Amino acid sequence: QVQLVESGGGSVQAGGSLRLSCAASGYTYSSYLMGWFRQAPGKEREGIATVFTGNGSTVYADSVKGRFTISRDNAKNTLYLQMNSLKPEDTAMYYCAEDTRPWFGGSWLQAGRYNFWGQGTQVTVSS
């Protein structure tokens, strides 16, 4: 079983930066994709960034492209999300997730394909 624990959330003013971390433990050797999602109150969960563990390829949602960077430290089994130029609309609960089922089709940013989830960390951006 895989456990994912996020950290690094908090409150920041618009234009500021935060770095989220996601520590993975348990059986992580079958990881296919690792991604970051967010969910604001009253909105659907949105996939914002993901990395293919095979070769490090990344995909970003248009809403964060150029501002957020996903990275992974294999030695530490930790996933990161560097968030720069934060906007009030980035306010949400942020979740990391792991997909261990490469046979699933569809977008890498689709929440339904991910089978392990963390508990989330809150990010609040004030104007």
Side-chain angles (χ1 to χ4, degrees):
Q1 192 74 0
V2 174
Q3 293 84 42
L4 303 172
V5 179
E6 303 94 336
S7 61
S11 297
V12 65
Q13 289 192 327
S17 299
L18 284 173
R19 188 175 83 154
L20 306 184
S21 299
C22 173
S25 61
Y27 186 71
T28 60
Y29 297 104
S30 63
S31 178
Y32 177 67
L33 296 171
M34 292 198 73
W36 286 98
F37 293 76
R38 67 185 182 186
Q39 188 167 19
K43 294 189 176 181
E44 291 188 357
R45 191 165 294 192
E46 173 191 18
I48 55 173
T50 190
V51 57
F52 171 48
T53 59
N55 64 6
S57 295
T58 57
V59 175
Y60 294 92
D62 289 343
S63 57
V64 306
K65 199 173 295 182
R67 300 188 298 123
F68 291 9
T69 303
I70 189 172
S71 61
R72 186 169 179 252
D73 185 328
N74 293 332
K76 296 182 178 179
N77 279 336
T78 301
L79 184 72
Y80 300 100
L81 184 69
Q82 178 66 44
M83 305 186 296
N84 298 327
S85 302
L86 284 162
K87 305 175 182 179
E89 51 263 45
D90 294 318
T91 295
M93 185 70 78
Y94 282 70
Y95 301 89
C96 73
E98 183 170 0
D99 169 20
T100 63
R101 302 172 296 186
W103 55 89
F104 260 55
S107 167
W108 284 3
L109 293 178
Q110 180 184 352
R113 71 175 299 149
Y114 290 77
N115 50 328
F116 293 102
W117 291 85
Q119 294 299 308
T121 185
Q122 177 69 35
V123 171
T124 302
V125 184
S126 58
S127 58

